[in-house]
Amino acid sequence: MARLSVVGRSVVRRGLEEKLTGEARYTADLKLPGMLHARVLLSPHPHAEVVSVDTSAAEAVPGVHAVFTPFDDEASGLFAGDMRVLDTRVRFVGDEVAAVAAETEEEADRAIELLGVEYRELPFETDAGKALRPDATDIHEGGNLWGGEPLVLERGDVEAGLREADMVLEETYVVASHSAAPLEPRAAVARWCEDRLTVWKTSRGVHQDRAHLSAALGVPEERIRVVGPHFGAGYGAKDESRCAMLAAVLARKAGRAVRLEYSRYQEFVAGRVRHGAVIELKVGLKRSGEITAIDNKTLMNTGAYLASGAGELRRAAQGGLYLYRCPNVRYEGRLAYTNSPVAGSYRGLGAPQGHFAVEALMDQSAKSLGIDPVKFRLMNHVGLEGQLGRRTSPRDLVVDTQPVEGGIPFSSNGLRECILRGAEAIGWGTAVEEAVEPHLKRGVGMATCIYRGGPGWESTARAVLQRDGKVDLHTGVVDVGQGSHTVLGQMAAEAFGCGYEEVRVVSGDSDVAPHSPITAGSTATFSAGLAVKEASEKLRNGLLDMASTYLERAKDGLDVSEGFIVAKGSGERLESVAVLASRMPGKFMDAEASVVPGSADYIVNSFAAHFALVEVDLLTGSVSVVRYVAAHDSGRIINPLAAVNQVEGGVSQTLGLTLSEELVTDGASGVTLNGSFLEHKCPTIGQYPEIETIFVETEDPIAPFGAKALGEPPSVPVAAAVINAVYNAVGVRFTEIPLTPDKVLEGLARKVEAA
Amino acid sequence: MNPFEFVEPESLEEAVSLLTKEPGRAEVIAGGTDLLSELKDGLRRPERLVSLMGVEELGGVRWERDRVWLGASLTLGSLAEDERLSGEYPILAQAARSIATTQIRSVATLGGNLCQRPRCWYYRHPGFPCYKKGGVHCYGVNGYNRNLAILGHGASVMVHPSDMAPALIAMDARLESFGPRGRRTMALEDFFAGPNEQQMQEHVLERGEIVTGVFVSKPPSDARSVFLKAQDRTGEDFALASVAASASVSDGAVTRARMILGGVAPVPYRSQKAEEYLVGQAVKEVESSKAAELALCHARPLRHNGFKVILTKNLVRHAIETILKQ
Amino acid sequence: MRLTVNGRARRVDAAHHWTLLRLLRDVLALTGAKVGCDRGECGACTVAVDGQPVYACQMLAMQARGKEVVTVEGLASEEGLHPVQRAFLEEDAGQCGYCTPGFVMAAYALLLRNPSPTEGEIREALAGNLCRCNAYGRILEGVKAATGKMDSRPRPSRGQALRGNDGEGCG
Ligand SMILES: Cc1cc2nc3c(=O)[nH]c(=O)nc-3n(C[C@H](O)[C@H](O)[C@H](O)COP(=O)(O)OP(=O)(O)OC[C@H]3O[C@@H](n4cnc5c(N)ncnc54)[C@H](O)[C@@H]3O)c2cc1C
Ligand code: FES
Ligand code: FES
């Protein structure tokens, strides 16, 4: 791999210094002159018609300037498919019913208490399976099965594959809903100046937010400006909600700026959760270890609204369809509406659930065949050539990052090396060192992962050379905390030929930033990166044109390097970029590029293999991860330290899904019971294991500087790696996560009974 | 939070009079770590908070000849870090260290820990008018009751959340209080009251009565003890179950035993059966699993908390094995 | 009421039911301490009161009367970043940064009490701070790197209340 000067270095994360000093401003830190405080009322009923809202008492509270109910004209706007700004039907406990704005928080609270809402309660269902029964009450027109029919994806003939098998294994896996629970609750500040709206909000995509606001409020996009201040993260879960719309309507009604922040409890219930899933999986095996068929039936609970359910349902499929070389695969996915909190995007978007099932059953398969789990993976994992079969999609079309068909190779595939290097690092095959105490049992387990490699949506970037020789990089991409601005800045510096410090990133404002998609699906580095690289290269080209005239030298003998125009070959410094920039004819020089990322010839995917060493406490049933190895193929790593941070964070975060986090809804009332950081048990630094990160830096010809997706893959194989390690430790196959102490103790007791 | 008046008297008499002046409108605040959550969620709406932090006599640790006095305002952080206490009463430091987080322990007090309210999800959710809030129903009985009681339930199946309580009871602590009728002391065990005796509080204090501190006698030289706590998440978490055990051994036989279970009943649960079994046994003859069976012999698990019976038995066994090895 | 904030004696008006966090953020415009839960369960609001780490959200402003409060804004001095901040910067100890001020303050309070903590002590002291980005690995490295570097001399503070963003003009 060619050595580069800025890419590949652990430069200091952009914005971290102001975060460390407290200077960084997040949405809830903003205060506008005359700003009012808003509060929102959430439905206490899981399913009801809002018959009427008596606002008189609330309006009479001194200091109250605006009250917004579903019966107002502004309420009917539709966004994100099936959600209205406010609706006369509430579909879960936590659905927004009304909102108020007042001078002080106390007045707003008081007004909320005084709203007289009359509900007509409807039958409700919080369980996905039951919601699909014929006698269940419809939550949306068209019924509770989203799309009216299951999503079916297949390659080959799964029935034939199962018949061919010497052995068929079958298991049902259950994944509970849990919350992404970003530390910063969602918030928005809205202000109108005549007919122009400005919204500062917790955002991961100012342009998408602008489109949603426009659709919901019926205001043309040109008259809306969305600004994303520092963002206290979302992991996907902060989109598609009403917060900003409510602030905007209240601001218009009050004629004042309005700030709405959700409380922690509101963030838990009215925010977005990961889809709970029930996965019935069957695998056909030959004695030789060959996989003849994988049959996957998945049911996901999308809660009261669709949000990103469609993408979730699709991504839950890919592990079963593509991770293993197998001619006969089938996926039947169903997405059910229920009267529970809305499921939305959350890191990995369905893939963690899907991979949990596939990788747990593959572990069991290996065991049943008497083959070592690592060896079984090495025998069967999908290789560089992709799946067998003939490509059926048109050859000039960009290849889907999640294909079903065979016959398309990957642009790069380091899965095998991930498995080999990870196994070596954890000491696979050597005896696990026993714990000191006899009631602590240790074991190791592993799992692998395939994930979209980064191509997302069309992305635009603009690079501007200023007269002081610095480069402004304009991108619409929001840094959601993962460090995209750092990484994109590095790419721009590398492509243009200057130092990292010379690049300034301008972003997060829909009025000035070029159009960019949301920071989602691990696509920022790849998709925005391509646009950034191209725009920066164009800018360099423009500068070289100027340099050629100015220095009176042929352009093809010149280059830009580390802030200087240099002679190609010798590298002799001829002039600094700063001096040339100060002589520019115009105020600045700029270049823009729009790129539709992807390849017509290759599947671009990222890969990983994870290994866990766990300790199970036989007395308390608690599982702790002692050591963890995460080996990743995300192509070239732009910033090693930030990338390690990303992997460690993704693993640790997903230990929550695996071992402790669950958002519990009371069956009798539909009420979410544990919407707090105390009771929805996210990992703390106390649970943080020793994590070793390995990057298998494959060379990828399609990706910008060879950099593939890294944001989500670390979350994908974690659950299976840990659960497989627990099996290795205590000999019980657990199929439900989170694997909390109650499940462990009951599982151990069943094992004793059986023996 | 609803507005209220905050007052900080300097004497106990003044505090009691501020609490009793307009009955029902005033509450005690110590560190506020528990109370403020209740106020923010609107579970209680006092008009006045009477802070105890200005009353000097409630603070600190006082060493007496054959006992130690721990003031109600002593913070859990000081309790956990006091070297002499850790040396002479290790079980207390173990319990204190297991509670909440560094930040909470910096301000949470011993008195507040003993008087804290239930952590049951139905109780803490403003949407359920449950028995412990003055309603008629305990939603935990038929609801999601994984974290709730397996022993001693009555009108409510809440569990007492305090970790200090079992540890102190295992040391035969006595509680001192001061109220409109003056000062009194009682065995800490008798301080706690189940749901059938008290609906809106978990202790026997009268209106306006304040916990002033706790006395703990010097343990005999042959005493040993341990506090064990099982949690969903080590660190910030209440106990799924806890066991505070202490015993004295002389001439190879158990002469005194205390077995207090936390997190499994509406009050700290003293398992007399297990204690009776242990006393008089030769150390070598003790079957810890037998003691565990006895400790849980009255257990009546609910729909979702059967695992707590297994868990608590395991903890009892382990506690006995640990102290008998000491 | 009177209290000292970042070395400066202040007289402020605070309603009796206000939390210390509200006083800091809304009156003193010190928005470094964040609202993560407002229930004493996440650590985003951690500040030091008389040298002890506390949750500013779970303490009434009145309870801080007469005390010395240090917020994240009070750490850096004219000489630059505080050693804890510098170590965090070098070790990449943060992602979205929402938890960062709380972690910095918890680490600062730990190192005040215990200048060279073991890894176990660091974990225990920081277990009351959640990082939902789970940047725990880097945070651990950050605290380790700051170990032994704390300087207890009083430092001239770099500016008191940072100005709030007053919004921009009609745009
Ligand atoms: C995140 C979190 C985790 C926790 N984890 C645990 C845990 O694992 N184990 C555990 O045991 N506890 C735990 N707690 C509870 C904590 O220990 C208590 O909040 C704390 O001890 C209460 O002390 P305080 O001084 O803050 O009391 P306050 O909140 O001031 O008061 C609590 C209650 O006691 C009353 N009260 C206080 N002092 C007196 C007195 N002297 N006389 C009469 N009444 C009084 C008050 O009126 C109030 O009702 C946790 C709390 C939190 C917030
Ligand atoms: S905001 Fe104070 S602890 Fe969460
Ligand atoms: S860096 Fe995002 S919460 Fe810690």
Side-chain angles (χ1 to χ4, degrees):
Chain A
M1 200 176 277
R3 250 199 78 73
L4 303 170
S5 63
V6 188
V7 160
R9 270 181 37 214
S10 296
V11 299
V12 169
R13 181 183 293 264
R14 241 168 240 274
L16 185 54
E17 182 166 347
E18 58 202 275
K19 291 170 179 173
L20 287 162
T21 58
E23 283 165 76
R25 300 267 148 185
Y26 295 75
T27 304
D29 300 335
L30 305 179
K31 212 173 185 172
L32 302 190
M35 186 180 84
L36 301 174
H37 297 275
R39 287 284 198 265
V40 56
L41 175 69
L42 303 186
S43 169
H45 301 295
H47 201 184
E49 295 289 345
V50 180
V51 179
S52 65
V53 183
D54 180 354
T55 59
S56 49
E59 278 163 353
V61 174
V64 169
H65 287 263
V67 178
F68 177 34
T69 81
F71 300 99
D72 289 319
D73 291 342
E74 296 92 334
S76 61
L78 201 62
F79 68 99
D82 56 6
M83 206 169 201
R84 294 190 187 282
V85 180
L86 284 179
D87 207 334
T88 51
R89 164 100 74 113
V90 286
R91 296 180 173 84
F92 72 105
V93 176
D95 220 355
E96 290 93 341
V97 177
V100 303
E103 299 279 351
T104 67
E105 292 163 31
E106 285 80 1
E107 289 157 356
D109 283 334
R110 183 87 193 108
I112 287 285
E113 281 183 7
L114 291 174
L115 283 171
V117 187
E118 191 190 331
Y119 298 96
R120 193 171 62 79
E121 291 185 51
L122 299 168
F124 72 95
E125 186 51 68
T126 57
D127 179 81
K130 291 184 191 155
L132 294 184
R133 289 184 189 161
D135 59 343
T137 304
D138 284 356
I139 297 164
H140 289 274
E141 259 174 54
N144 295 340
L145 177 62
W146 174 74
E149 54 186 34
L151 169 69
V152 177
L153 304 167
E154 54 193 329
R155 186 173 68 240
D157 180 346
V158 102
E159 293 305 327
L162 289 171
R163 279 194 304 273
E164 231 178 86
D166 297 329
M167 183 196 294
V168 173
L169 293 185
E170 207 171 332
E171 192 61 78
T172 300
Y173 297 89
V174 180
V175 181
S177 284
H178 69 138
S179 171
L183 200 60
E184 171 199 43
R186 64 200 61 213
V189 179
R191 183 179 63 188
W192 292 82
C193 280
E194 285 153 19
D195 63 352
R196 261 189 73 87
L197 168 67
T198 304
V199 171
W200 292 260
K201 75 179 289 274
T202 47
S203 172
R204 67 162 174 166
V206 288
H207 294 98
Q208 176 182 283
D209 283 339
R210 184 176 66 180
H212 276 168
L213 277 161
S214 167
L217 304 176
V219 175
E221 288 197 22
E222 310 78 70
R223 284 201 263 122
I224 302 176
R225 172 177 172 218
V226 178
V227 186
H230 276 286
F231 183 53
Y235 322 103
K238 269 190 188 150
D239 303 331
E240 310 128 353
S241 86
R242 294 185 170 114
C243 181
M245 285 89 201
L246 300 179
V249 172
L250 289 169
R252 180 144 70 183
K253 283 175 168 278
R256 300 260 292 267
V258 166
R259 185 170 84 198
L260 173 61
E261 299 156 64
Y262 278 31
S263 69
R264 174 49 51 194
Y265 179 76
Q266 290 174 335
E267 176 62 38
F268 267 109
V269 296
R272 297 292 177 263
V273 301
R274 188 191 292 285
H275 290 68
V278 179
I279 301 167
E280 295 167 49
L281 200 64
K282 239 188 244 179
V283 55
L285 300 159
K286 288 273 192 204
R287 296 228 177 281
S288 60
E290 198 182 316
I291 302 169
T292 60
I294 302 173
D295 187 17
N296 182 340
K297 287 197 180 63
T298 294
L299 170 63
M300 292 182 121
N301 183 345
T302 196
Y305 297 95
L306 177 61
S308 50
E312 234 359 272
L313 191 67
R314 177 63 187 86
R315 255 180 255 184
Q318 204 60 13
L321 293 176
Y322 240 74
L323 184 53
Y324 289 96
R325 212 175 331 103
C326 180
N328 309 302
V329 293
R330 186 168 189 279
Y331 173 80
E332 185 181 312
R334 287 176 305 155
L335 190 66
Y337 282 120
T338 63
N339 298 105
S340 28
V342 186
S345 327
Y346 179 16
R347 202 175 200 161
L349 209 82
Q353 296 97 308
H355 275 68
F356 164 53
V358 169
E359 283 299 77
L361 194 58
M362 287 305 169
D363 203 67
Q364 198 172 331
S365 301
K367 178 83 191 172
S368 306
L369 292 165
I371 304 176
D372 174 83
V374 164
K375 190 165 170 228
F376 181 76
R377 262 56 170 224
L378 290 173
M379 286 165 65
N380 286 301
H381 77 80
V382 67
L384 185 64
E385 69 289 351
Q387 295 290 348
L388 295 177
R390 272 208 14 243
R391 179 172 178 175
T392 51
S393 58
R395 296 207 161 254
D396 52 350
L397 225 65
V398 167
V399 176
D400 191 351
T401 50
Q402 304 186 114
V404 181
E405 63 191 316
I408 314 174
F410 292 98
S411 54
S412 58
N413 178 345
L415 180 54
R416 189 172 198 84
E417 226 187 316
C418 287
I419 298 172
L420 290 170
R421 287 185 56 192
E424 191 189 337
I426 200 87
W428 193 268
T430 60
V432 177
E433 196 191 326
E434 298 271 343
V436 205
E437 306 248 17
H439 59 92
L440 300 176
K441 292 284 170 231
R442 290 186 164 189
V444 289
M446 61 93 60
T448 59
C449 146
I450 185 169
Y451 201 73
R452 304 170 68 201
W457 306 269
E458 176 169 1
S459 200
T460 305
R462 197 160 82 98
V464 184
L465 178 63
Q466 301 288 2
R467 290 188 74 84
D468 60 359
K470 309 245 177 209
V471 174
D472 286 355
L473 174 64
H474 293 249
T475 161
V477 170
V478 173
D479 192 326
V480 297
Q482 89 284 40
S484 58
H485 286 181
T486 310
V487 161
L488 293 177
Q490 285 180 266
M491 288 187 175
E494 189 71 55
F496 176 73
C498 65
Y500 169 69
E501 298 71 23
E502 311 303 312
V503 178
R504 220 165 54 121
V505 180
V506 182
S507 115
D509 184 334
S510 66
D511 267 12
V512 295
H515 197 279
S516 291
I518 54 172
T519 304
S522 308
T523 57
T525 299
F526 189 104
S527 302
L530 284 173
V532 164
K533 181 167 180 266
E534 199 177 308
S536 308
E537 281 166 356
K538 276 191 192 165
L539 185 66
R540 166 207 191 97
N541 198 38
L543 180 69
L544 286 176
D545 279 335
M546 189 187 146
S548 149
T549 318
Y550 177 80
L551 297 170
E552 297 177 353
R553 284 188 177 226
K555 184 178 164 193
D556 56 11
L558 298 176
D559 206 351
V560 191
S561 168
E562 293 171 19
F564 287 90
I565 307 292
V566 298
K568 251 195 199 149
S570 75
E572 184 200 346
R573 289 182 170 178
L574 305 171
E575 187 53 277
S576 76
V577 171
V579 167
L580 265 185
S582 68
R583 308 253 151 97
M584 281 190 301
K587 283 211 160 69
F588 59 85
M589 177 190 293
D590 70 341
E592 191 168 291
S594 286
V595 177
V596 180
S599 156
D601 304 316
Y602 299 109
I603 313 165
V604 184
N605 275 184
S606 290
F607 300 90
H610 284 195
F611 296 78
L613 168 60
V614 306
E615 200 166 271
V616 182
D617 187 329
L618 301 180
L619 296 177
T620 63
S622 84
V623 177
S624 48
V625 179
V626 180
R627 211 171 108 67
Y628 200 94
V629 173
H632 281 262
D633 165 22
S634 290
R636 187 199 288 269
I637 297 304
I638 306 289
N639 184 320
L641 194 55
V644 165
N645 198 343
Q646 198 57 212
V647 172
E648 292 176 344
V651 170
S652 174
Q653 191 179 58
T654 315
L655 290 177
L657 161 80
T658 310
L659 296 172
S660 59
E661 293 170 6
E662 176 170 4
L663 198 66
V664 179
T665 300
D666 179 53
S669 61
V671 173
T672 295
L673 295 174
N674 62 335
S676 73
F677 277 134
L678 177 63
E679 301 296 355
H680 178 278
K681 298 176 204 257
C682 302
T684 73
I685 203 165
Q687 285 78 53
Y688 185 78
E690 182 193 326
I691 299 177
E692 180 179 342
T693 301
I694 295 170
F695 291 118
V696 169
E697 294 192 88
T698 49
E699 297 219 28
D700 192 282
I702 309 297
F705 299 105
K708 298 193 288 185
L710 181 62
E712 292 166 289
S715 69
V716 177
V718 178
V722 170
I723 299 300
N724 292 340
V726 170
Y727 170 76
N728 184 246
V730 299
V732 181
R733 292 247 176 236
F734 291 98
T735 55
E736 292 185 26
I737 53 172
L739 184 59
T740 42
D742 48 338
K743 297 188 187 113
V744 174
L745 289 174
E746 282 161 3
L748 292 171
R750 275 196 306 273
K751 184 186 163 198
V752 172
E753 263 166 43
Chain B
M1 242 187 314
N2 272 33
F4 49 74
E5 178 198 14
F6 178 91
V7 289
E8 199 158 83
E10 285 174 8
S11 74
L12 271 178
E13 289 76 11
E14 211 188 322
V16 170
S17 102
L18 282 164
L19 283 166
T20 43
K21 207 158 59 185
E22 296 153 274
R25 306 246 177 101
E27 301 272 4
V28 169
I29 179 167
T33 57
D34 182 43
L35 183 67
L36 290 185
S37 288
E38 288 207 291
L39 301 187
K40 289 171 183 177
D41 288 327
L43 304 186
R44 291 203 262 175
R45 302 185 170 212
E47 288 163 22
R48 174 186 298 151
L49 293 188
V50 180
S51 164
L52 300 182
M53 304 317 268
V55 182
E56 222 161 283
E57 72 168 278
L58 299 185
V61 179
R62 202 167 67 228
W63 291 93
E64 297 176 3
R65 207 167 49 85
D66 53 358
R67 62 181 190 177
V68 64
W69 185 83
L70 309 174
S73 298
L74 182 66
T75 64
L76 299 178
S78 321
L79 219 167
E81 277 156 36
D82 188 298
E83 273 181 33
R84 182 158 171 205
L85 261 180
S86 307
E88 295 186 23
Y89 300 89
I91 189 172
L92 300 186
Q94 284 165 15
R97 222 174 291 133
S98 82
I99 293 173
T101 64
T102 316
Q103 289 93 327
I104 295 279
R105 292 193 297 271
S106 308
V107 284
T109 64
L110 175 59
N113 186 271
L114 299 176
C115 297
Q116 63 175 305
R117 303 304 316 276
R119 283 284 165 178
C120 167
W121 295 355
Y122 295 98
Y123 172 79
R124 291 278 164 169
H125 196 294
F128 296 95
C130 86
Y131 175 79
K132 288 302 289 182
K133 286 185 272 193
V136 286
H137 235 61
C138 172
Y139 291 85
V141 176
N142 295 316
Y144 184 71
N145 43 37
R146 170 185 189 267
N147 299 338
L148 298 176
I150 51 173
L151 280 161
H153 8 110
S156 157
V157 293
M158 63 162 282
V159 295
H160 201 280
S162 169
D163 287 320
M164 285 318 300
L168 283 164
I169 295 173
M171 299 310 287
D172 294 334
R174 291 186 69 75
L175 178 128
E176 188 198 64
S177 65
F178 183 86
R181 291 198 279 174
R183 216 172 274 271
R184 61 169 169 158
T185 66
M186 64 187 92
L188 179 59
E189 194 187 340
D190 299 330
F191 170 71
F192 296 100
N196 293 359
E197 296 140 63
Q198 292 283 349
Q199 187 174 7
M200 312 271 281
Q201 61 186 41
E202 292 71 40
H203 49 64
V204 299
L205 292 184
E206 292 175 10
R207 201 160 273 305
E209 192 175 2
I210 293 167
V211 174
T212 53
V214 168
F215 288 106
V216 196
S217 303
K218 209 176 183 64
S221 57
D222 57 2
R224 58 273 305 274
S225 65
V226 72
F227 178 77
L228 301 177
K229 173 174 173 181
Q231 297 162 287
D232 276 315
R233 166 176 69 186
T234 8
E236 183 192 329
D237 215 353
F238 282 88
L240 287 169
S242 69
V243 170
S246 74
S248 298
V249 174
S250 77
D251 295 334
V254 179
T255 56
R256 173 190 158 277
R258 292 288 180 273
M259 182 63 63
I260 322 296
L261 313 182
V264 291
V267 295
Y269 182 91
R270 180 155 171 203
S271 170
Q272 250 136 0
K273 283 236 155 83
E275 292 176 5
E276 280 161 18
Y277 164 77
L278 288 169
V279 173
Q281 287 273 348
V283 168
K284 276 194 252 143
E285 311 276 283
V286 169
E287 288 175 53
S288 59
S289 46
K290 178 126 193 239
E293 289 302 326
L294 286 169
L296 276 295
C297 67
H298 295 302
R300 271 192 300 136
L302 305 164
R303 182 150 165 232
H304 305 111
N305 68 5
F307 79 101
K308 276 192 163 192
V309 179
I310 311 175
L311 172 62
T312 315
K313 282 183 191 167
N314 288 347
L315 292 182
V316 170
R317 261 198 299 117
H318 194 60
I320 292 173
E321 285 158 18
T322 308
I323 54 176
L324 293 186
K325 260 190 282 175
Q326 275 173 2
Chain C
M1 60 174 273
R2 291 168 193 277
L3 78 173
T4 305
V5 181
N6 296 335
R8 214 171 109 191
R10 316 278 307 224
R11 258 197 72 142
V12 289
D13 278 332
H16 284 194
H17 69 284
W18 281 15
T19 61
L20 174 61
L21 183 60
R22 185 157 173 196
L23 175 73
L24 293 172
R25 289 176 55 85
D26 291 2
V27 179
L28 302 177
L30 294 166
T31 54
K34 302 286 178 235
V35 189
C37 67
D38 198 31
R39 292 294 184 281
E41 299 173 1
C42 79
C45 64
T46 303
V47 300
V49 174
D50 287 350
Q52 299 278 334
V54 307
Y55 297 137
C57 74
Q58 202 72 341
M59 175 185 250
L60 294 172
M62 298 300 281
Q63 292 177 297
R65 255 190 315 194
K67 307 212 161 167
E68 194 154 327
V69 180
V70 179
T71 73
V72 74
E73 289 93 341
L75 292 196
S77 69
E78 282 156 2
E79 296 151 36
L81 293 180
H82 186 274
V84 172
Q85 292 167 322
R86 174 140 306 286
F88 272 47
L89 188 68
E90 281 162 9
E91 295 296 334
D92 200 36
Q95 290 185 27
C96 78
Y98 203 75
C99 69
T100 306
F103 268 102
V104 168
M105 291 311 296
Y108 163 81
L110 165 68
L111 296 174
L112 272 185
R113 288 193 310 265
N114 178 358
S116 34
T118 61
E119 179 167 327
E121 288 167 335
I122 298 174
R123 284 174 184 262
E124 192 185 324
L126 301 189
N129 292 72
L130 287 177
C131 173
R132 286 299 295 137
C133 300
N134 285 257
Y136 296 128
R138 309 314 313 153
I139 293 168
L140 269 176
E141 292 309 314
V143 182
K144 285 184 202 160
T147 293
K149 301 218 178 94
M150 275 268 279
D151 175 359
S152 51
R153 276 176 300 140
R155 303 154 62 87
S157 179
R158 182 171 83 172
Q160 287 294 321
L162 291 154
R163 285 250 59 86
N165 179 338
D166 291 324
E168 291 117 83
C170 239

